[in-house]
Amino acid sequence: MFFERPDSGEIAVLVHIDFRDQSESYGPEEFVELAISAGADPVAVVTGSRQRPDAKYYIGTGKLAEIKDIVDREGAQVVLFDHALSPSQERNLESVFQCRVLDRTGLILDIFAQRARTHEGKLQVELAQLQHMSTRLIRGWTHLERQKGGIGMRGPGETQLETDRRLLRERIKSIQKRLEKVESQRDQSRRSRDRSAVPTVSLVGYTNAGKSTLFNRATGADVYAADQLFATLDPTLRRLDLEQIGSIVLADTVGFIRQLPHRLIKAFQATLKESSEADLLLHVVDAADISRDENMAHVDSVLKEIGADEVPMLKVFNKIDALADTEPRIDRDADGNPFRVWLSARDGQGVDLLKQAIAELLAEDVFSETLYLSSKYGRIRAMLFEHGAVRSEYFDETGRFVLDVKLPKKDYLQILARAGMSEDQIETA
């Protein structure tokens, strides 16, 4: 049975089912936030529990009838499922409800499409949408098929479904090529930062933890920040000057969420690479969220998937203004190194402590010294210039090169190794 789909689905019925054979169980509160963030007006939240999903409708016949009654009574335009539905389940549910049915992946993709601002962000979202859509093409326009018998219908030709699939594949390839070009440009920018020995610090965290607010507070930028899920999609980089170590690059990236669709992670690979290749991660946590431990675990899971789980991390417990009797502070490990900072990005409490902690952690990885090199160490001098590590140079009274250098400690050690030298053979101030 066919029906006319509305242009937009504002009146929504939400469905959240707990399955007893799944180890992870959580409430529908976050899904309600997702729906509102997408512009939906939830009129009902249907909950329930099952042993496992139904192959045809995902839910049982009782819930099917209950949701159908709500859709008819409220005039709902869309039913949103807090789960991943198969293409056939979506079509079966639509035929029963006579309105659009969208699963969690489709809803998140819709939010991403609304929030993408840059050319790269729009390409990434379109790629994910096309990959999602490619599994959901249905047989429309069958009157145009030329692969069946009958007068005027004989002969070779492709069905409309095959044409749509071919066009989708071509568009996906085109977008992937353009994103590869964007990624190569990002790699070039990262190499340039590496050569100039500017450390990169990347903000990561669960969506709506306050990353963009903290980014704005620390750098004086004007990145869009709002109390909603996925307020920021596009990566933003700003230079931040710290007294102890000089300039760093601070990167604000997309927030994570539980059950983040895998194809979104793939589509945003170039963006997330800012995190995987950073010198330090700032894991921003909503300290006032009762689910903060679960949210942190989900962030760690995504970081592992993008290869960023080995990057040094500093946890930033934000929103202490919403907690009673919590003051800004730095928590240190047994060696005295910072591992957690408590602050409020909204009113600025503790941001100075965050900068101090960043400087302390990065100072261990940065070699910043004055070197005295005789003419026989010309190869080392040349390699330092190749790395863009020399900030100034002059000759002393004995004719030695006096170089003020700054570069990652690992790069300095590699230069010495290539020259067959050790640290104690180089005179420093």
Side-chain angles (χ1 to χ4, degrees):
M1 185 177 293
F2 296 93
F3 54 90
E4 184 177 352
R5 294 188 176 188
D7 294 333
S8 62
E10 295 183 350
I11 302 175
V13 175
L14 277 55
V15 181
H16 175 90
I17 307 295
D18 286 322
F19 294 98
R20 289 186 286 273
D21 61 351
Q22 293 181 358
S23 58
E24 185 179 21
S25 179
Y26 51 90
E29 295 80 13
E30 182 183 85
F31 190 59
V32 174
E33 285 189 62
L34 274 175
I36 294 173
S37 295
D41 178 16
V43 293
V45 179
V46 178
T47 60
S49 62
R50 281 179 62 87
Q51 185 66 33
R52 60 182 62 87
D54 178 74
K56 185 174 183 181
Y57 293 112
Y58 198 83
I59 52 178
T61 54
K63 285 295 175 188
L64 197 68
E66 179 184 346
I67 296 169
K68 172 63 174 172
D69 289 342
I70 297 173
V71 169
D72 293 341
R73 183 176 68 248
E74 301 290 345
Q77 296 168 299
V78 62
V79 178
L80 304 175
F81 277 74
D82 191 13
H83 313 277
L85 300 176
S86 70
S88 62
Q89 286 170 339
E90 275 192 14
R91 292 195 292 271
N92 294 336
L93 290 167
E94 285 184 343
S95 68
V96 173
F97 299 147
Q98 292 293 286
C99 69
R100 291 176 60 218
V101 172
L102 212 59
D103 66 358
R104 183 182 178 89
T105 299
L107 180 63
I108 293 177
L109 284 171
D110 183 80
I111 297 172
F112 273 46
Q114 293 180 44
R115 305 282 161 77
R117 296 288 180 268
T118 65
H119 175 64
E120 178 191 1
K122 291 176 181 178
L123 283 176
Q124 290 167 329
V125 172
E126 185 181 355
L127 175 61
Q129 286 180 318
L130 290 175
Q131 290 171 334
H132 184 65
M133 188 191 308
S134 65
T135 64
R136 282 161 167 75
L137 291 177
I138 60 174
R139 291 185 180 277
W141 304 98
T142 53
H143 60 283
L144 295 180
E145 289 184 8
R146 293 182 56 83
Q147 290 188 341
K148 55 188 177 181
I151 298 174
M153 300 299 289
R154 298 183 180 88
E158 61 182 350
T159 65
Q160 183 64 34
L161 182 61
E162 290 168 340
T163 302
D164 290 344
R165 284 174 175 161
R166 176 172 52 79
L167 292 174
L168 271 178
R169 287 196 299 269
E170 290 173 357
R171 180 62 180 163
I172 287 172
K173 287 180 182 178
S174 173
I175 294 175
Q176 286 174 333
K177 287 181 180 178
R178 292 161 74 179
L179 283 175
E180 286 172 4
K181 184 177 180 181
V182 172
E183 185 172 359
S184 67
Q185 292 170 342
R186 284 193 175 278
D187 287 341
Q188 188 174 358
S189 298
R190 275 190 288 268
R191 287 194 296 270
S192 177
R193 293 200 301 267
D194 289 343
R195 284 196 297 271
S196 59
V198 179
T200 299
V201 177
S202 181
L203 291 165
V204 298
Y206 208 75
T207 184
N208 207 26
K211 296 185 305 300
S212 295
T213 302
L214 178 58
F215 183 84
N216 290 339
R217 177 70 66 175
T219 64
D222 190 24
V223 173
Y224 178 68
D227 185 17
Q228 57 185 202
L229 304 184
F230 300 121
T232 303
L233 279 189
D234 304 307
T236 308
L237 282 70
R238 291 289 186 277
R239 188 175 289 265
L240 176 63
D241 292 322
L242 301 177
E243 289 184 8
Q244 300 91 327
I245 62 171
S247 296
I248 66 169
V249 170
L250 194 63
D252 185 20
T253 58
V254 63
F256 301 150
I257 195 170
R258 65 168 56 93
Q259 293 185 0
L260 186 66
H262 183 74
R263 56 175 53 92
L264 270 179
I265 297 176
K266 287 292 184 184
F268 278 74
Q269 201 70 42
T271 301
L272 296 173
K273 206 168 182 180
E274 289 292 347
S275 299
S276 62
E277 298 193 0
D279 296 286
L280 177 67
L281 296 180
L282 301 184
H283 182 170
V284 183
V285 180
D286 183 350
D289 192 336
I290 59 174
S291 302
R292 73 184 187 192
D293 291 337
E294 292 89 338
N295 294 347
M296 289 166 63
H298 285 291
V299 171
D300 290 338
S301 175
V302 176
L303 289 175
K304 185 174 183 179
E305 185 167 352
I306 65 174
D309 53 324
E310 298 297 328
V311 180
M313 179 187 293
L314 174 66
K315 286 187 169 60
V316 181
F317 275 40
N318 187 26
K319 303 187 183 182
I320 62 170
D321 51 299
L323 297 174
D325 303 323
T326 304
E327 296 294 325
R329 69 177 189 270
I330 298 177
D331 292 341
R332 299 179 181 274
D333 60 21
D335 297 323
N337 298 315
F339 72 91
R340 184 168 53 217
V341 178
W342 298 75
L343 55 77
S344 170
R346 174 180 291 179
D347 56 27
Q349 295 182 68
V351 174
D352 54 338
L353 295 178
L354 174 63
K355 293 180 179 179
Q356 176 188 330
I358 293 173
E360 287 184 36
L361 292 173
L362 290 179
E364 297 180 356
D365 299 321
V366 176
F367 181 81
S368 180
E369 296 283 353
T370 300
L371 305 181
Y372 296 88
L373 303 177
S374 65
S375 57
K376 68 179 181 180
Y377 295 138
R379 186 182 176 197
I380 294 177
R381 174 178 173 272
M383 286 190 285
L384 289 170
F385 272 102
E386 285 176 10
H387 277 72
V390 180
R391 293 185 288 191
S392 65
E393 179 189 35
Y394 64 91
F395 295 98
D396 65 6
E397 62 278 3
T398 65
R400 293 179 303 177
F401 298 105
V402 182
L403 290 78
D404 180 17
V405 301
K406 181 183 176 184
L407 73 167
K409 184 68 176 287
K410 65 179 187 301
D411 291 346
Y412 175 65
L413 295 176
Q414 286 176 357
I415 288 174
L416 294 182
R418 286 166 59 189
M421 305 288 293
S422 62
E423 282 189 89
D424 56 4
Q425 291 177 274
I426 304 298
E427 185 180 346
T428 60

